[in-house]
């Protein structure tokens, strides 16, 4: 199976800690024993801090996005370091490069590619590009909810269609560093290419392994 795993910066780098990168690297290696794996890393709080400083300094939104992309790529480099010889040595800067890098048989890790989106969209487009069988979006939230998980009455959904996913995420805000359960662009890509997707809480890296290898998870399954 070809699997794209999107690891949100909120779980990979809530703060910079080499042990945390090490734990995710072990989980990714476990999956890569059985499957072809691509990983997309998010920027997390550190990216938002950088973006905020850039914005205060007068940078426009596209430039703020570029600052964010640089941080996601730094996180990709750290995960590559933790994966050692199992990983392709360089984070690809586009999808074509990523596909080419995978021909080495190594785990490919990349960050952001272009302004106006987040790494959720990168992971979805990559899944489309390499015709992945499964996209796993590992975040700090338990899955897709009917509304903001913090609001009263919001219910977690175990299984939804890509169309429902689009309806839910379309309500979110779009500016550099904005936080939402999923980038609307990612949802649209998942919808148009009918990509089987699991959105789960990946705070414990083992939950990513169990979802992929055992099909067991407590998140939301998006199936056409
Ligand atoms: P993230 O993908 O980390 O965004 O990219 P996020 O929604 O904050 O996700 P978590 O918290 O890591 O899970 C960080 C920022 O980098 C820019 C955007 O500004 C985004 O908010 N970015 C990232 C891009 O402009 N293009 C990309 O391809 C990726």
């Amino acid at each position: 199976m070809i699997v794209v795993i999107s690891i949100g910066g909120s779980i990979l780098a809530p703060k910079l800690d080499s042990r945390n990168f090490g734990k995710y690297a072990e989980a990714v290696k476990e999956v890569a024993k059985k499957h072809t794996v691509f990983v997309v890393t998010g920027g997390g709080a550190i990216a938002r801090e950088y973006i905020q400083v850039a914005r205060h300094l007068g940078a426009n939104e596209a430039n703020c996005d570029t600052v964010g992309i640089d941080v996601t790529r730094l996180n990709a480099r750290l995960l590559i370091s933790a994966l050692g010889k199992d990983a392709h040595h360089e984070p690809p800067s586009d999808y074509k490069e990523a596909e080419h890098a995978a021909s080495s048989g190594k785990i490919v890790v990349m960050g952001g590619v272009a302004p106006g989106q987040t790494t959720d969209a990168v992971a979805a487009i990559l899944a489309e590009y390499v015709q992945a069988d499964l996209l796993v979006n590992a975040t700090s939230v338990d899955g897709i909810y009917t509304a903001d998980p913090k609001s009263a009455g919001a219910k977690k959904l175990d299984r939804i269609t890509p169309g429902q996913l689009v309806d839910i995420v379309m309500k979110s805000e779009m500016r550099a560093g904005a936080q939402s359960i999923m980038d609307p662009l990612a949802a649209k890509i998942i919808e148009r290419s009918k990509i089987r997707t699991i959105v789960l809480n990946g705070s414990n890296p083992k939950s990513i392994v169990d979802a992929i290898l055992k099909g067991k998870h407590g998140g939301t399954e998006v199936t056409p």
Side-chain angles (χ1 to χ4, degrees):
M1 202 163 68
I2 300 175
V3 186
V4 174
I5 308 172
S6 168
I7 309 180
S10 54
I11 55 172
L12 183 64
K15 57 180 175 52
L16 272 185
D17 181 349
S18 58
R19 284 166 306 179
N20 207 43
F21 279 86
K23 281 193 233 161
Y24 283 98
E26 285 315 308
V28 169
K29 278 187 196 176
E30 188 79 26
V31 178
K33 282 183 196 157
K34 296 244 166 71
H35 304 290
T36 301
V37 178
F38 292 83
V39 182
V40 180
T41 53
I46 304 150
R48 274 188 294 279
E49 253 182 76
Y50 266 90
I51 287 168
Q52 211 173 3
V53 173
R55 200 177 274 134
H56 281 152
L57 292 171
N60 61 38
E61 285 300 303
N63 278 323
C64 288
D65 279 339
T66 307
V67 168
I69 292 169
D70 286 345
V71 179
T72 63
R73 288 175 60 81
L74 279 176
N75 284 341
R77 284 191 189 282
L78 292 182
L79 190 61
I80 288 169
S81 303
L83 286 164
K85 62 172 179 38
D86 290 352
H88 181 73
H89 54 89
E90 188 73 13
S93 41
D94 61 38
Y95 307 103
K96 196 173 169 189
E97 255 183 49
E99 190 180 42
H100 184 69
S103 60
S104 64
K106 301 211 174 199
I107 300 163
V108 176
V109 186
M110 68 190 289
V113 296
Q117 58 181 36
T118 73
T119 49
D120 291 342
V122 174
I125 298 166
L126 181 61
E128 191 172 58
Y129 200 94
V130 301
Q131 298 183 51
D133 303 282
L134 177 65
L135 167 63
V136 175
N137 195 318
T139 72
S140 54
V141 183
D142 289 340
I144 306 288
Y145 282 69
T146 49
D148 182 340
K150 286 176 217 125
S151 66
K155 266 182 48 193
K156 201 195 84 196
L157 301 159
D158 293 335
R159 190 175 285 268
I160 54 172
T161 64
Q164 286 172 300
L165 176 70
V166 169
D167 288 346
I168 293 168
V169 303
M170 274 305 172
K171 295 165 197 149
S172 60
E173 181 196 17
M174 188 191 162
R175 61 201 286 259
Q179 272 180 300
S180 71
I181 180 66
M182 187 185 279
D183 182 339
L185 177 59
K188 290 295 283 180
I189 300 290
I190 289 168
E191 184 187 38
R192 79 170 179 185
S193 288
K194 303 179 178 61
I195 303 164
R196 190 186 149 220
T197 304
I198 299 171
V199 182
L200 53 75
N201 187 334
S203 306
N204 179 354
K206 197 175 169 295
S207 57
I208 300 173
V209 180
D210 287 347
I212 300 169
L213 298 187
K214 300 182 185 161
K216 281 190 194 158
H217 64 86
T220 301
E221 188 110 23
V222 186
T223 37

